[in-house]
Amino acid sequence: MELNEKNVLDLSSFRMITDVNSKGNKLILEINKNYECEVEIPYNVDIEDEMIIINEHPLKVENIKRGILNLISLSISQNLVNKVTNRRTYYIVPPIPLIGHTAFGLIDRGTNIIQVRGLSGCNINCPFCSVDEGKYSKTRKNDYYVDVDYLVEEYKKIAEFKGNKFIEAHLDGQGEPTLYYPLADLVQNLSEINKDGRGIVSIQSNGVGLTYKMIDELEEAGLHRINLSINALDEKMAKILAGRKDYNIEKILDIAEYIKNSKIHLLIAPILLPNVNDEEFKKVIDYAIQLDQRIPQNVLNPITNKKDPILGVQLCLIYQFGRRVKKMKIWEFKKFYKLLKDYEAQYKAKGIDVKLKLHPSDFGTHRRKKLPCPFKVGESINVDVIMDGRIRGEVIGVSQNRIVQIINCKNEDRLIGNNIRVRILRTKDNIIVSTPTQ
Ligand code: SF4
């Protein structure tokens, strides 16, 4: 059949479709870089790269195009797979609320920070991961991805509710935030919203997927800070702590240096696993201090009018659904702070001023109006169960513009699509957890 605009469906015009492959009449679509779904086309078509050529009577072509687009949209909503974790992924669009869950959406904990979680799923497998993330997770069964326009739209509502002044959009989550695509667009849109109120956009990253090009784009998009996790400098220990044989610490250090030479503030965030990486933890601190001396940055945080710290050290804790390194000793914060104080004193003796024990005010974090929560702990409510949960025994419901996690479920599949009665167990920070009443 002759090729003309009318009998061709060009998939390259859809932003979320980032690559197209085919096997006969089966389309294999890459969605937002890290996801994939397959669609069987039940019409007489030829597929050439991103073009679907429809070999049917011209009068039927428009209907067939609509039919194909419906099949694609159905497949995205039902059969999307995260290529990084191999898990089923729910593509979150309106009217699914974005408040209520820690795996995706937006979190307001009553400060000037709004946590932005565009996706779940991680590209590495740290053996101490507090959310048991990565390909080999034993507890996570589904991933979530939030449509970029919807995420920005809902973010804007919360920023405005909070007075849109000195707001920080912080991209973090149960996974690696830089896997989000289109990341630069997301950052740029959030940055546009925050800019007038002298707010910022910041992101956490393990650095594995970062490239020079991405950093250039994020700088252009107005990103203020990258909190980069580096937990060891020794090659072997770094690989062990990332849970990946191909983790390349040299590459991460190179990326750190590249960020240091950009307008994005670099914060290095090592985590101490007592009795596991004690020496390496100290080496990362030394490295960060030397890097800061060698390449000082002059990026001011508009919220504080000061430079952010170069280091954001953390202590590894144990979580209910997290992973744990057997050899690790559990420390109290008191002991950790004592260690930090000793390190600070050692640097001071060498004439170097470094602050390791930070206060939220070092980043300009302060209390702000909090979104109201429509539920009370102990209350029984009805919820529409709309999708499967993040871990076994959980499904996800919706009520009063909130996501409601429903735990302790049996036969999750049978609950989806039903309206059930649940008792609210938690409402803190508008993270809503409930349990079925019977
Ligand atoms: S980078 Fe973070 S989310 Fe990913 S496995 Fe490590 S600790 Fe977990």
Side-chain angles (χ1 to χ4, degrees):
M1 178 171 272
E2 197 188 322
L3 249 181
N4 61 52
E5 259 181 44
K6 285 196 181 124
N7 68 348
V8 170
L9 180 60
D10 180 2
L11 296 177
S12 70
S13 58
F14 299 92
R15 183 175 61 175
M16 65 163 66
I17 301 177
T18 43
D19 195 18
V20 180
N21 282 296
S22 60
K23 260 190 213 154
N25 261 29
K26 190 198 281 171
L27 273 177
I28 303 158
L29 301 177
E30 182 191 83
I31 304 296
N32 291 325
K33 299 280 183 196
N34 292 312
Y35 304 91
E36 196 169 85
C37 68
E38 295 184 353
V39 191
E40 196 69 49
I41 306 293
Y43 305 106
N44 181 7
V45 295
D46 287 318
I47 304 170
E48 287 176 16
D49 299 326
E50 286 145 336
M51 308 280 192
I52 303 180
I53 300 138
I54 300 164
N55 305 315
E56 301 269 3
H57 189 280
L59 285 176
K60 283 189 180 170
V61 164
E62 280 313 307
N63 269 345
I64 289 175
K65 278 188 189 173
R66 265 196 296 277
I68 294 173
L69 290 177
N70 280 340
L71 286 172
I72 292 177
S73 136
L74 196 70
S75 180
I76 291 173
S77 73
Q78 293 182 349
N79 306 316
L80 197 63
V81 173
N82 186 337
K83 290 196 281 177
V84 178
T85 61
N86 288 332
R87 289 192 283 260
R88 180 188 173 172
T89 301
Y90 284 94
Y91 197 104
I92 308 293
V93 289
I96 300 172
L98 296 190
I99 297 169
H101 208 290
T102 49
F104 65 92
L106 300 158
I107 303 174
D108 166 24
R109 299 186 196 266
T111 69
N112 62 317
I113 299 176
I114 301 171
Q115 288 169 266
V116 179
R117 300 189 161 181
L119 54 72
S120 63
C122 193
N123 49 2
I124 60 174
N125 311 286
C126 309
F128 55 87
C129 181
S130 64
V131 289
D132 188 20
E133 247 311 322
K135 211 179 198 161
Y136 309 109
S137 172
K138 290 202 178 84
T139 57
R140 313 290 137 159
K141 58 174 177 171
N142 291 302
D143 279 328
Y144 306 87
Y145 170 95
V146 187
D147 176 75
V148 64
D149 294 336
Y150 185 41
L151 191 55
V152 171
E153 211 175 281
E154 293 299 296
Y155 173 85
K156 190 169 183 207
K157 288 184 197 161
I158 303 178
E160 280 168 3
F161 169 85
K162 294 172 94 62
N164 200 353
K165 207 152 184 30
F166 301 129
I167 300 286
E168 174 171 350
H170 184 60
L171 279 64
D172 66 355
Q174 297 188 358
E176 169 56 26
T178 65
L179 289 174
Y180 193 84
Y181 180 89
L183 183 64
D185 288 2
L186 174 63
V187 169
Q188 181 162 4
N189 282 310
L190 298 174
S191 182
E192 284 293 319
I193 295 168
N194 286 0
K195 192 167 76 188
D196 291 345
R198 293 179 52 204
I200 55 170
V201 182
S202 59
I203 192 169
Q204 287 189 14
S205 178
N206 59 35
V208 169
L210 284 175
T211 60
Y212 293 167
K213 185 167 172 272
M214 274 170 88
I215 293 160
D216 292 347
E217 286 170 3
L218 291 171
E219 179 183 41
E220 182 75 29
L223 184 66
H224 169 72
R225 186 181 68 243
I226 296 179
N227 297 0
L228 187 67
S229 299
I230 301 180
N231 302 317
L233 296 186
D234 172 71
E235 204 185 313
K236 200 171 150 213
M237 179 59 90
K239 283 182 197 293
I240 291 172
L241 292 182
R244 255 181 86 150
K245 285 197 188 102
D246 59 356
Y247 178 86
N248 181 353
I249 183 64
E250 288 306 321
K251 187 237 157 184
I252 306 291
L253 299 182
D254 185 51
I255 283 290
E257 193 149 336
Y258 194 79
I259 300 169
K260 231 12 194 137
N261 281 297
S262 77
K263 289 191 209 121
I264 303 170
H265 178 88
L266 175 73
L267 177 142
I268 295 179
I271 189 161
L272 172 68
L273 286 79
N275 201 38
V276 177
N277 72 336
D278 310 61
E279 272 177 37
E280 291 300 313
F281 174 73
K282 176 65 166 54
K283 279 196 220 155
V284 175
I285 296 176
D286 292 341
Y287 163 81
I289 292 168
Q290 282 160 15
L291 180 67
D292 199 37
Q293 286 175 334
R294 189 157 54 83
I295 314 171
Q297 277 184 300
N298 245 338
V299 186
L300 291 188
N301 181 337
I303 305 177
T304 56
N305 259 327
K306 287 192 284 199
K307 272 170 44 172
D308 288 342
I310 176 69
L311 276 155
V313 298
Q314 299 167 73
L315 174 67
C316 190
L317 304 171
I318 303 293
Y319 293 89
Q320 188 190 0
F321 292 110
R323 290 194 285 263
R324 182 188 170 164
V325 178
K326 269 202 196 127
K327 239 178 90 186
M328 189 186 97
K329 291 206 169 121
I330 298 165
W331 273 22
E332 305 227 320
F333 273 104
K334 216 170 129 195
K335 194 166 176 185
F336 183 55
Y337 292 146
K338 160 91 178 53
L339 179 77
L340 299 185
K341 230 173 155 194
D342 289 349
Y343 286 166
E344 284 174 358
Q346 287 172 25
Y347 286 114
K348 198 155 184 94
K350 290 186 206 155
I352 303 167
D353 253 334
V354 59
K355 193 174 177 190
L356 296 175
K357 187 184 168 200
L358 301 179
H359 188 266
S361 62
D362 291 313
F363 299 95
T365 309
H366 54 274
R367 297 226 64 85
R368 287 286 277 280
K369 188 162 99 172
K370 195 175 185 173
L371 284 175
C373 178
F375 313 117
K376 286 199 173 63
V377 171
E379 180 186 359
S380 289
I381 59 163
N382 276 12
V383 294
D384 291 320
V385 181
I386 57 159
M387 56 187 165
D388 199 7
R390 177 92 165 116
I391 54 176
R392 220 159 294 125
E394 178 196 335
V395 290
I396 292 180
V398 170
S399 175
Q400 299 200 49
N401 203 24
R402 294 288 184 272
I403 283 287
V404 179
Q405 297 176 50
I406 308 157
I407 59 170
N408 307 323
C409 297
K410 291 180 196 106
N411 300 327
E412 290 103 293
D413 285 348
R414 278 172 47 196
L415 294 175
I416 300 168
N418 290 323
N419 184 279
I420 66 167
R421 194 130 182 102
V422 299
R423 190 162 44 81
I424 302 288
L425 300 174
R426 175 202 156 127
T427 58
K428 189 167 179 259
D429 299 328
N430 260 299
I431 308 295
I432 319 290
V433 183
S434 69
T435 185
T437 50
Q438 345 111 14

